[in-house]
Amino acid sequence: MAKKLVIKVTAGADAPERCSQAFTVAAVAVASGVDVSLWLTGESAWFALPGRAAEFELPHAAPLPDLLESVLAAGRLTLCTQCAARREITEKDVIEGVRIAGAQVFVQEALADETQALVY
């Protein structure tokens, strides 16, 4: 089993099931002791902002704020640089603990030894 898991979520409220799946997998992996790096890209970029996860609803799914909190507590949460710029989101806007980084960092993480990368 991979000791590290890098997850890129490209969907937000526009594709709620895919979005929820990514956050759920990330939270379960963190709870299982896996080193998790969750990347917010595309429409999921909005969840880097305070309060935005609370607006997300999907029947029969764990609340997104709880999943987000789990990842922030024991994993790493990164907002894509270009996605942030397109939405005029800056470091001062994001939830504490969220970093903004680009493709070079994503590739470096995804290609590290004993790492599995997933894209939702």
Side-chain angles (χ1 to χ4, degrees):
M1 182 163 114
K3 294 184 179 181
K4 297 176 186 172
L5 184 60
V6 177
I7 300 171
K8 179 185 271 195
V9 55
T10 62
D14 59 326
E17 287 184 302
R18 192 161 29 110
C19 177
S20 180
Q21 289 167 3
F23 277 90
T24 300
V25 168
V28 168
V30 164
S32 300
V34 176
D35 181 6
V36 173
S37 178
L38 179 62
W39 283 72
L40 304 177
T41 67
E43 286 302 299
S44 72
W46 295 114
F47 298 127
L49 298 175
R52 284 297 186 91
E55 297 172 6
F56 181 88
E57 291 185 20
L58 182 64
H60 309 291
L64 199 63
D66 295 348
L67 300 173
L68 183 67
E69 185 178 312
S70 295
V71 174
L72 276 171
R76 191 168 31 266
L77 190 61
T78 305
L79 171 59
C80 161
T81 302
Q82 290 181 14
C83 301
R86 280 190 282 276
R87 291 161 180 81
E88 299 180 354
I89 299 172
T90 67
E91 289 182 358
K92 67 178 178 58
D93 299 319
V94 299
I95 298 167
E96 185 177 339
V98 173
R99 69 176 175 167
I100 298 177
Q104 180 182 5
V105 177
F106 176 79
V107 170
Q108 183 180 30
E109 285 187 9
L111 295 178
D113 290 340
E114 299 186 36
T115 300
Q116 174 70 50
L118 302 173
V119 178
Y120 286 88

